[in-house]
Amino acid sequence: MMKDPWIRKIGFPVITVAEEPSQISIRQNRFLSTGDAKPEEDETTWWIPLGIKSGSKMEEVNSRALVAKTDTIHGVGQNSFYKINKDLSGFYRTNYPTDRLAKLGKSLELLSTEDKIGLIGDAAALAVSGEGSTAALLALLEGFSEEQNYLLVPSAFPECLPRSIAMVLINFVECEAKRRFELWAAGQDKNAINTNLRSVIFGINVSEGGSKEFDSVKEEYLKTDSVDGKEICLAALGRTKDARLVQDYLDFVFSDKVAIQDVHNGAVSLAANSKVRHLLWEYMKGNWGTVEARLSSNNVVFERFVRMGLSKFADQSIGEDIASFFQNKDTSAYDRALVIVSDSIRTNAHYKERDEKSVLEWLQAHGYA
């Protein structure tokens, strides 16, 4: 019976923690990325393994489970050190008070890699949903300034570093990437770019360069026979900031040079490019006949292209424009994608409106802006 909700009910829970001097109160609710679960959507009571680590060296483990909507845990509280969901063993979010997140960020040596990954993931997701805050997330990330684990550095860099150090490191990486790319593109040293560094080096050079770098990576796409090589090149080309090259890129993506099963990767790359992602939507509107003709033969790719290409916007007016554009079209191949796009844009827009000012204030107060 205790497993029934996990099998038969949609969704998963978030545990919210409230602290007192010698105890904590916990409450479970259904988690939605939009943060707006209605009462009728929040009736499930999950059996949740708490896995509470505590003690000065995190040597104590309380394996009790939460089997009701609320509960009180004695023996840990504001004045003690604890972490819920030991080693990320439970499938749920944990919403800590802001001060607790900051404390955990300052005691990372007591946490496992899984614990750290869970903390960052939960804090980020809860900031977006509105159940947490971006200020709390940033306070946690500050503790990762000396993190060496490669699994964690991408999550915490460069937000947690002092700005001057971050800029030095970024400049060093960019200079080295450009040096290696020039050697490779000129044919002076085809081994200048390690296979594992192609994505980073191609991406940096297309992003920071112009037509020359763009054309070199495009040529590599056409020459390479490896599947991952084509994916890497296509993703890198989508990092250009030049509007003219974006047009070139999209024309290329919809040509017969790119396999139908890879077309959605073009949308993914441009959607992640905040400088020019709006041009993807403009292209779709202006060339819908071409887009539809190319993708209609593969509904899986069609759905992915729409969903992945349009869900990163954070402006309600764009969401309304998308809804209006598709209103009188046959959307049966990607109707679910449009629902996800609408929800995602609404969530992103609310997050931006809610936290943009407070994030700027936090960054200024801590010397990052």
Side-chain angles (χ1 to χ4, degrees):
M1 289 295 292
M2 67 183 184
K3 294 181 180 179
D4 265 12
W6 291 104
I7 298 171
R8 303 179 187 279
K9 299 293 184 179
I10 296 173
F12 64 95
V14 53
I15 288 180
T16 301
V17 182
E19 295 183 343
E20 297 178 38
S22 59
Q23 65 183 37
I24 58 173
S25 299
I26 55 177
R27 181 185 76 250
Q28 65 163 287
N29 297 96
R30 181 182 174 188
F31 175 76
L32 290 179
S33 61
T34 51
D36 57 357
K38 300 179 179 65
E40 61 270 22
E41 297 173 322
D42 189 23
E43 296 176 343
T44 303
T45 300
W46 283 273
W47 180 90
I48 303 174
L50 295 175
I52 303 173
K53 297 199 297 188
S54 61
S56 59
K57 296 183 179 180
M58 290 295 223
E59 71 280 5
E60 301 171 20
V61 179
N62 184 337
S63 300
R64 68 184 291 174
L66 177 62
V67 296
K69 277 291 188 181
T70 61
D71 199 356
T72 300
I73 311 296
H74 299 279
V76 292
Q78 288 175 337
N79 303 321
S80 56
F81 192 75
Y82 69 92
K83 162 73 172 60
I84 294 175
N85 199 6
K86 175 182 179 293
D87 297 333
L88 200 58
S89 55
F91 191 75
Y92 58 91
R93 302 285 187 196
T94 305
N95 188 11
Y96 294 100
T98 299
D99 290 346
R100 177 58 52 183
L101 272 182
K103 289 178 182 177
L104 288 166
K106 294 175 182 176
S107 304
L108 297 176
E109 71 281 359
L110 298 176
L111 304 177
S112 67
T113 297
E114 293 83 359
D115 284 332
K116 296 172 187 177
I117 291 173
L119 281 172
I120 295 173
D122 287 354
L126 291 162
V128 173
S129 73
E131 294 165 275
S133 72
T134 306
L137 168 63
L138 293 171
L140 169 67
L141 288 176
E142 274 201 308
F144 285 81
S145 59
E146 297 182 6
E147 181 60 55
Q148 299 296 314
N149 191 318
Y150 75 94
L151 293 171
L152 292 159
V153 171
S155 301
F157 176 82
E159 293 92 339
C160 60
L161 289 176
R163 187 176 182 183
S164 58
I165 297 176
M167 291 307 298
V168 169
L169 290 175
I170 290 170
N171 289 336
F172 172 79
V173 171
E174 287 183 355
C175 288
E176 182 63 13
K178 290 176 181 178
R179 185 186 73 81
R180 289 176 178 270
F181 186 85
E182 288 173 4
L183 290 172
W184 170 83
Q188 296 177 23
D189 183 1
K190 285 298 182 182
N191 295 318
I193 300 178
N194 182 282
T195 301
N196 296 321
L197 295 177
R198 288 174 299 170
S199 179
V200 174
I201 293 177
F202 286 175
I204 288 174
N205 280 275
V206 171
S207 176
E208 302 303 317
S211 297
K212 179 182 176 182
E213 292 78 8
F214 183 91
D215 290 341
S216 292
V217 175
K218 186 177 178 181
E219 182 181 353
E220 176 66 13
Y221 177 93
L222 295 171
K223 288 180 1 184
T224 185
D225 293 325
S226 68
V227 174
D228 71 318
K230 288 188 177 297
E231 290 179 354
I232 287 169
C233 290
L234 202 62
L237 290 170
R239 292 188 59 183
T240 181
K241 299 171 185 174
D242 186 318
R244 182 182 59 81
L245 292 178
V246 170
Q247 177 71 37
D248 184 317
Y249 176 63
L250 285 167
D251 287 341
F252 179 68
V253 166
F254 281 98
S255 73
D256 58 5
K257 302 294 184 182
V258 176
I260 183 66
Q261 65 267 23
D262 294 333
V263 172
H264 69 280
N265 290 326
V268 171
S269 187
L270 280 181
N273 188 341
S274 61
K275 297 290 185 182
V276 297
R277 71 164 63 105
H278 65 284
L279 296 177
L280 170 61
W281 174 230
E282 294 302 322
Y283 183 93
M284 290 174 68
K285 289 191 293 182
N287 300 271
W288 183 247
T290 300
V291 173
E292 188 174 38
R294 180 77 169 119
L295 298 178
S296 59
S297 62
N298 190 320
N299 285 348
V300 172
V301 174
F302 207 161
E303 188 275 341
R304 287 176 181 170
F305 187 90
V306 172
R307 171 168 50 87
M308 296 177 174
L310 301 179
S311 61
K312 296 295 185 181
F313 290 109
D315 187 329
Q316 286 282 30
S317 65
I318 295 179
E320 293 167 1
D321 189 32
I322 291 171
S324 176
F325 179 81
F326 286 108
Q327 189 172 12
N328 298 316
K329 292 179 173 57
D330 178 9
T331 62
S332 55
Y334 48 88
D335 53 355
R336 179 57 184 164
L338 289 175
V339 173
I340 294 172
V341 166
S342 177
D343 285 347
S344 297
I345 293 176
R346 177 164 53 88
T347 299
N348 295 340
H350 288 168
Y351 179 37
K352 181 180 178 181
E353 292 166 5
R354 184 181 65 245
D355 274 22
E356 187 173 31
K357 182 179 178 182
S358 63
V359 168
L360 179 58
E361 290 174 350
W362 190 96
L363 292 172
Q364 291 172 336
H366 291 77
Y368 295 103

